[in-house]
Amino acid sequence: DFKDTWRFALGANYKLNDEWMLKGGIAYDQTPVKGASTRLVSLPDNDRTWFSVGAQWKPSKTLTLDAGATYLYVKDASIDNNQGTVAAPLRGRVTGTYEDSAWIFGAQASMSFYVQHVFCFSIPGPSGDFFVNLPEIPVDRRSCCSIIQTFVLV
């Protein structure tokens, strides 16, 4: 038995120079758990606040390194739940308080590459074949598909 919730978040990037960017953010998540009597042992969730910082370094045009850290503060969660049922009468009542928090660390390396011709095809026409060649352009996995789709539609 859960309730609808909201999540609020705010973040910012600050570009120091062409190589460095600093990142930060804060977020607040409401818990879907209605209260101590409906809180489950398997989901001792409560309202939480995320505090995040990170940095991005671009040592070259093709290489990007990102690193970040998040501290997750979870409000203490009380539980007072009778887990016993007719089918499982020995489960009993669970009463107490959960104290939670977490650190989350992440890192990523991204590399883009240059391709001489991403896509080449010919279309028969009245005055001969029409060839489509793309010039040298920077491509990463996200843009490669859109470039091919764009030129296939021509």
Side-chain angles (χ1 to χ4, degrees):
D1 190 23
F2 296 106
K3 64 181 179 180
D4 293 337
T5 64
W6 286 89
R7 181 174 204 269
F8 304 95
L10 178 66
N13 294 335
Y14 180 74
K15 188 173 181 179
L16 289 173
N17 54 42
D18 288 339
E19 290 183 3
W20 285 96
M21 183 181 303
L22 302 178
K23 303 174 179 195
I26 187 169
Y28 176 75
D29 287 324
Q30 291 178 323
T31 182
V33 177
K34 290 184 175 180
S37 63
T38 58
R39 185 165 283 113
L40 302 174
V41 176
S42 60
L43 184 63
D45 190 36
N46 209 354
D47 295 342
R48 56 203 164 275
T49 306
W50 303 67
F51 302 95
S52 300
V53 294
Q56 181 182 77
W57 178 43
K58 293 187 79 154
S60 70
K61 288 176 72 174
T62 59
L63 179 63
T64 304
L65 303 172
D66 290 277
T70 296
Y71 176 71
L72 181 58
Y73 167 76
V74 182
K75 185 178 171 184
D76 289 352
S78 60
I79 186 168
D80 187 6
N81 190 336
N82 186 358
Q83 302 276 313
T85 63
V86 174
L90 299 177
R91 289 183 69 182
R93 182 176 181 174
V94 177
T95 304
T97 302
Y98 291 96
E99 297 175 10
D100 294 319
S101 65
W103 280 98
I104 303 169
F105 299 96
Q108 170 180 302
S110 303
M111 180 169 274
S112 59
F113 54 92
Y114 286 85
V115 178
Q116 183 62 34
H117 296 287
V118 174
F119 194 73
C120 179
F121 62 96
S122 64
I123 302 171
S127 60
D129 288 346
F130 173 69
F131 288 94
V132 176
N133 290 316
L134 297 180
E136 183 175 303
I137 52 176
V139 175
D140 62 23
R141 286 186 293 170
R142 292 180 304 264
S143 63
C144 185
C145 292
S146 62
I147 290 169
I148 290 173
Q149 290 171 357
T150 301
F151 282 92
V152 167
L153 296 175
V154 169

